[in-house]
Structures are given as C-alpha cells and as structure tokens.
Amino acid sequence: MMNLIPLPKTYAENEGVYTFGGKIKSDFELPLINGFAELCNDADFVIKKDESVSREGYKLTVNTDKLVIKASSEIGAYYALQSVRRLCSFDTGGREVPCCEIDDEPRFKWRGLQLDESRHFFGKDTVKRYLDFMFAEKLNTFHWHLTDDQGWRIEIKKYPLLTEIGSKRAYTQVGGWESAKTENEPHFGFYTQEDIKEIVSFAAERGITVVPEIDFPAHCASAMAGYPELACFPKETEVPGYFGGLIPQRRFDFRWNRTLCCGKESTFDFVFGVLDEVCELFSSKYIHIGGDEAPTGEWKRCAECQRVIKENGLKNEDELQGWFENRLISYLKEKGKTPIGWNEIIRSKNLNNEGNSVVVQYWTPKRDKFAEAYANSGGAMVLSNHQSFYFDMPYAMYPLSSTYNYKPSDYGISVSDNILGVEGELWSEWIPDREKLDLSAFPRIQALAEVAWSPEEKRDFADFKRRLDLLKPTLKKLEIGYAEDEISLNSDEAQKRLINKKFRRGDPLLELKLNKN
Ligand code: ACM
Ligand code: ZN
C-alpha cells in the first residue's frame, strides 16, 4: 500500500519488492546519507545524474533486483531518498521497497514553515530538529520570526542593547488571550551571529533557505526597551510579557506593539544598520520586513511624522507606512535582496512596487481585496491563509482538513508562476515548549507538505488519512508528539466549544492534555 506523504506527481505500483541492503552507488556525494546507507562503487541501488530532471524533482524506478534514482541536483537525489525511506518504513526497521515507478517534482517553489521565537524562545536544538522534519517532508523555506514585542532574538553588533535588554522579559502572560494571569519567571534567549551562521548552513545542507523576519515598523517593543528613542514619544519601558488582551487594558499600559517613528531620520539609521547585518548573515534572496498590524495613533500625534507626511505630499498615515516601506524596499533591492512583507503593506496606495516584485504574504483571516487583486495582477505572493495555515490555533477551531483541503481559488487567488507557494505559521504565544510545538505542528506539517508539493487534483483527504496512519509508527519512533485525530475530527461540538473557550481564557494547553497518543 502506497504510504508516501507528500503524494508524488505520478506513481505506479508493480508486483514485488526490492530489499534494501544499505549500500548505494551515487553520482552525487550526499554527505547527509549517514545512518541510512553507505556509499560504495558496487551496489544495485543507483543514483544517476540526469540533467533532464527538474532541480527539486526525481525519478525512481524500483524493480526486484535494482533501484534506480535519477536527479539533476543533490537536493533532488535527497528527496528521492526521503521517498525510499518512507516507502520501506526505514525508521521502524523496514527494508522492503515496493516495486514502483515514480516521476516526481513539486507544485510550488516556496514550501514554507514559520517559527516565532520571540514569544517563546526554543533554541538551536529545536530549530535543527524542525529543519530535519522539514527536509523529510520536502519543505524548503524556513521563515524565522526573530523579533517581536516580547523578545528580540538576533544579535546585532551595532545595537547591542537589542539583545542585552530586548531578549529578556520578566514574566509571561498565561491562560489565553483574555487572561490577566502571568507567570512571573524570566524568559530569555537569543542567537549569536555564530549561531545564526550555523543554522543557515545546517538548513542549506538540507535544501532549506532560511528567510529571516525582522518586523518593522510595528511589533518593535523589545527594540524600544533597549532604544526608547525609536518611538515617536520615547519612554523607558520593559520588554512586555503579555500578548495583548486584558492585561494592557487593565493596567492602562500600552507599551507593546508601538510603531517606530517614521519621521526621525535616526529611525532609518537604525533600521538600515540592522538590515546591513541581517543581509550579511542570511544568504536568502528574500528578507522579510514584517509590516503587519501597525497602529497609526502615535504617528497622528507626532510632529516629526506629520512633517514627513506634509513634506512628501502623503495623504494620511497609511501612506506614511507606504513611504516607510518604500525606503526599506529600495534599500534591500540595492543590496540585491527581495523584500517580503505581510499583506497589510499593499494597503498603502503609494507602495513603490515596480514589477510587482515585493513578495506579499497573505495571512489575514478576512479576505483582503487588495491582496487578491495584487496576486491576480501578477504580484509575487506566499499564501498563509489563517484558517488553513495558522498552526498555533486549536484543531478544534482549524481542523486538519482545513489545512489539507486548502485551495487558493477558494480565496480568490488564481495560481500561476507569481504564486510562489504556501507556508504554515507556528506563532508561539500559547506554545511554551516543544511538546505543545509538536502537537501544533504535527500532522499539520504533513498536510501542508502535500498542499505545497502534490498536484491539487490528486489530493484526497481520506487517502491522506490512510497514509498518515501508516506514518504514525515512524512519528512515534522519532518521538514526534503529533495530534491524534480525535481532537480534530471526532471531538463533539461541546468539547470543541470548551477547547476554544479555554484557548481564549483559561487553559490554552487543554488540547494537549486531551490528546491521546
Ligand atoms: C500576523 O499574524 N500578524 C502576521
Ligand atoms: Zn513619529
């Protein structure tokens, strides 16, 4: 029974099996093969270089006495090996590969997963573990959300207080969005530039591009804790440990998610200084500059921001954000980088986006006519539809099927080359540790991989679930704490209501406790 996830482009099963003896003859060097096989000159498991195969694609022919892989690149060969690994259930001791013929290549070039390490810092080991899981599922873009209000996680040598002050908070909100409770333990952590280089190269070995996100002009409270002058109205603040909701309202304390002052030239010195180091550290052509959820209140009251609006003939504060984004876009383009931002950035009518080349990441839960028009007029886009790809939400709210069944056309997007692909988001306000991270991510990552890789017309949720059941022993063996179906599919309505209520206020970890595996 075919057990591959993601489903290949074409698959034909034949009679018999090939028994894998652990030796491979390869035209590629494949340094990551260790543990799976040994490279040698004399084997009937053969990897051939074939320039006619697309870069991430592969062809696989399995006969009882011979297994042949064709690929044009190392990553194509690795993806073929990941398929063989699954076909024989290698990780749980299987060595029999069913005879078959596979011709495979991805649907989308951007097959992404995002991890928010600002709200909770997980550290290098967890990141590497996730990069390995991504590699196994043929995902190729790791979007690393490194800065936000609740913590700055990347060392910037020019601005040491970003991490000396901005990477530590004294407490953390617990108990859901509407809770006023806090856990009064310090939370801290950041990546040194050496750590970043190590992760970027670990990812590259697995065919994964690391796209850093430095979120501007809002979600900058952790930066302002170190450098208060970045705000329109500087004041001494700590790194906030709450995520919104009741706490700021009750305390009348709105020191989170404030925008950078766009009127002061010193703000641009800071932003460009940060981007200079970020562009040096990350080989990715794409640099994510955020742009989401920017409040305009302080800009309205700030003399410097109002001066810039007047001097540049801008109509309002939305255009001030557009003007701010334009300067970042030009700066990055001069460095040969392609900026990516959340879909709010194209609401500014003055966004300077020649050739529609700024990548827009469409996330908002409500449909955005600007985003849809942008995509359908050839704008570059990554799709992260909230209802399908916000993996931090409970399964009781967004079941596995809502990820699996995602179709761009259901959200007004017609797919052509400008649609780079899809991405799952692991926001971590309510993900304090690896156990909850695994539950939120698995098996949504498998569903995401199939949306990202497999032909849309071949997808079938019932068949996916059958293949997922075949994968579960492997997930267990690899100590991946996935969500069982009961919490997403078989929960009764009352239990779903309870989970969702607790997610807002009470116990955002309830689903984890109910999970039965
Ligand atoms: C977002 O979820 N604010 C991009
Ligand atoms: Zn200002």
Side-chain angles (χ1 to χ4, degrees):
M1 285 275 257
M2 212 284 271
N3 66 350
L4 281 180
I5 297 176
L7 195 67
K9 193 173 81 169
T10 69
Y11 175 89
E13 189 157 336
N14 298 321
E15 284 287 308
V17 295
Y18 167 85
T19 303
F20 178 40
K23 292 195 185 328
I24 298 181
K25 183 177 170 194
S26 173
D27 289 347
F28 301 95
E29 289 209 8
L30 308 176
L32 299 177
I33 214 166
N34 56 346
F36 179 61
E38 175 194 330
L39 290 183
C40 66
N41 284 328
D42 180 23
D44 46 28
F45 187 131
V46 182
I47 302 177
K48 290 185 182 155
K49 185 161 189 168
D50 180 341
E51 298 291 355
S52 71
V53 179
S54 64
R55 197 184 72 80
E56 295 185 305
Y58 65 91
K59 291 187 173 149
L60 171 65
T61 305
V62 186
N63 293 313
T64 52
D65 58 348
K66 200 167 171 91
L67 187 154
V68 178
I69 288 167
K70 290 182 183 161
S72 60
S73 72
E74 203 173 87
I75 190 63
Y78 276 132
Y79 285 160
L81 290 172
Q82 296 286 17
S83 292
V84 172
R85 189 174 192 128
R86 282 283 165 82
L87 283 166
C88 68
S89 300
F90 184 87
D91 293 292
T92 51
R95 296 295 179 269
E96 291 189 346
V97 189
C99 291
C100 63
E101 193 82 44
I102 293 180
D103 185 352
D104 204 5
E105 64 180 353
R107 177 184 188 202
F108 287 119
K109 46 184 174 276
W110 184 299
R111 305 181 301 281
L113 185 70
Q114 177 261 33
L115 180 64
D116 167 11
E117 287 214 74
S118 171
R119 276 57 177 264
H120 283 97
F121 180 75
F122 300 102
K124 248 184 341 191
D125 289 348
T126 298
V127 168
K128 286 185 177 173
R129 187 170 171 261
Y130 268 70
L131 290 168
D132 265 332
F133 298 152
M134 289 176 68
F135 185 35
E137 304 304 335
K138 305 183 176 91
L139 298 174
N140 68 354
T141 308
F142 177 57
H143 168 180
W144 207 2
H145 188 76
L146 285 163
T147 70
D148 213 302
D149 299 309
Q150 294 80 10
W152 185 283
R153 308 283 177 220
I154 172 174
E155 178 190 25
I156 300 295
K157 295 203 193 275
K158 190 170 176 191
Y159 297 102
L161 301 183
L162 288 172
T163 44
E164 271 174 39
I165 292 176
S167 73
K168 301 173 192 147
R169 62 175 186 253
Y171 66 95
T172 298
Q173 180 180 355
V174 291
W177 291 107
E178 293 164 22
S179 157
K181 272 194 261 163
T182 57
E183 182 185 82
N184 297 317
E185 290 291 321
H187 187 85
F188 52 89
F190 69 91
Y191 293 100
T192 64
Q193 297 204 346
E194 287 310 306
D195 292 334
I196 300 269
K197 287 179 202 159
E198 185 183 325
I199 293 289
V200 168
S201 107
F202 184 93
E205 286 168 4
R206 287 153 182 78
I208 297 170
T209 302
V210 183
V211 177
E213 182 185 353
I214 312 295
D215 203 347
F216 298 127
H219 291 291
C220 280
S222 59
M224 286 174 189
Y227 298 97
E229 63 277 15
L230 293 170
C232 292
F233 303 99
K235 53 184 169 189
E236 291 294 322
T237 53
E238 297 170 349
V239 176
Y242 55 79
F243 306 118
L246 282 185
I247 295 181
Q249 286 171 34
R250 285 201 178 159
R251 297 185 185 181
F252 210 72
D253 166 7
F254 296 99
R255 63 201 143 106
W256 70 298
N257 196 18
R258 294 166 61 214
T259 39
L260 300 176
C261 177
C262 295
K264 290 189 268 203
E265 217 28 53
S266 55
T267 299
F268 292 93
D269 294 340
F270 170 79
V271 169
F272 296 156
V274 169
L275 289 177
D276 284 344
E277 294 187 33
V278 168
C279 290
E280 277 293 309
L281 285 169
F282 292 89
S283 48
S284 165
K285 143 173 139 169
Y286 299 102
I287 302 289
H288 206 307
I289 50 172
D292 58 321
E293 300 178 314
T296 55
E298 290 191 63
W299 294 342
K300 285 196 169 92
R301 290 182 285 116
C302 170
E304 289 299 301
C305 285
Q306 291 304 316
R307 179 186 54 77
V308 164
I309 288 180
K310 208 162 164 193
E311 283 178 8
N312 291 281
L314 306 174
K315 288 203 184 65
N316 51 32
E317 287 71 24
D318 279 347
E319 290 203 1
L320 180 63
Q321 183 172 353
W323 179 84
F324 170 88
E325 306 292 359
N326 287 344
R327 292 191 61 180
L328 272 59
I329 290 167
S330 305
Y331 196 76
L332 287 172
K333 286 194 169 172
E334 269 170 36
K335 287 174 175 287
K337 301 287 191 184
T338 301
I340 161 163
W342 300 106
N343 61 288
E344 284 96 322
I345 64 168
I346 46 171
R347 289 184 192 166
S348 314
K349 295 203 177 61
N350 58 332
L351 196 77
N352 174 4
N353 191 8
E354 237 173 279
N356 281 346
S357 59
V358 172
V359 181
V360 167
Q361 187 167 8
Y362 186 10
W363 74 277
T364 41
K366 292 207 176 112
R367 282 179 64 169
D368 175 353
K369 61 180 192 301
F370 297 108
E372 291 174 23
Y374 184 67
N376 294 331
S377 62
M381 186 167 280
V382 172
L383 303 166
S384 290
N385 173 267
H386 201 279
Q387 290 82 347
S388 306
F389 299 123
Y390 266 48
F391 295 171
D392 52 318
M393 295 286 132
Y395 289 87
M397 199 183 295
Y398 295 165
L400 188 60
S401 57
S402 71
T403 304
Y404 189 81
N405 289 329
Y406 175 73
K407 286 199 178 103
S409 56
D410 290 345
Y411 295 88
I413 306 283
S414 49
V415 173
S416 49
D417 280 352
N418 58 305
I419 304 300
L420 303 184
V422 292
E423 184 183 286
E425 311 301 303
L426 284 164
W427 298 105
S428 63
E429 288 95 334
W430 312 110
I431 302 185
D433 55 28
R434 204 191 256 191
E435 199 187 1
K436 178 79 191 297
L437 189 63
D438 276 7
L439 176 98
S440 308
F442 294 98
R444 281 169 167 154
I445 283 180
Q446 279 71 31
L448 166 73
E450 198 139 317
V451 175
W453 182 279
S454 311
E456 187 172 288
E457 66 282 3
K458 289 207 170 168
R459 286 194 339 241
D460 174 82
F461 189 53
D463 184 61
F464 171 72
K465 290 210 50 241
R466 178 191 66 74
R467 287 178 282 120
L468 190 58
D469 282 342
L470 297 172
L471 181 65
K472 285 179 180 175
T474 298
L475 297 180
K476 284 207 169 91
K477 186 77 201 292
L478 300 178
E479 298 181 354
I480 297 174
Y482 59 89
E484 290 285 0
D485 299 334
E486 286 73 26
I487 62 168
S488 65
L489 296 171
N490 302 334
S491 285
D492 60 32
E493 290 306 314
Q495 190 177 54
K496 282 186 192 168
R497 273 198 302 277
L498 180 69
I499 291 168
N500 288 333
K501 191 169 146 197
K502 294 285 184 188
F503 183 70
R504 292 199 317 277
R505 183 167 190 180
D507 184 3
L509 305 186
L510 177 59
E511 221 167 40
L512 181 67
K513 292 169 190 161
L514 292 171
N515 193 42
K516 294 189 186 69
N517 69 14

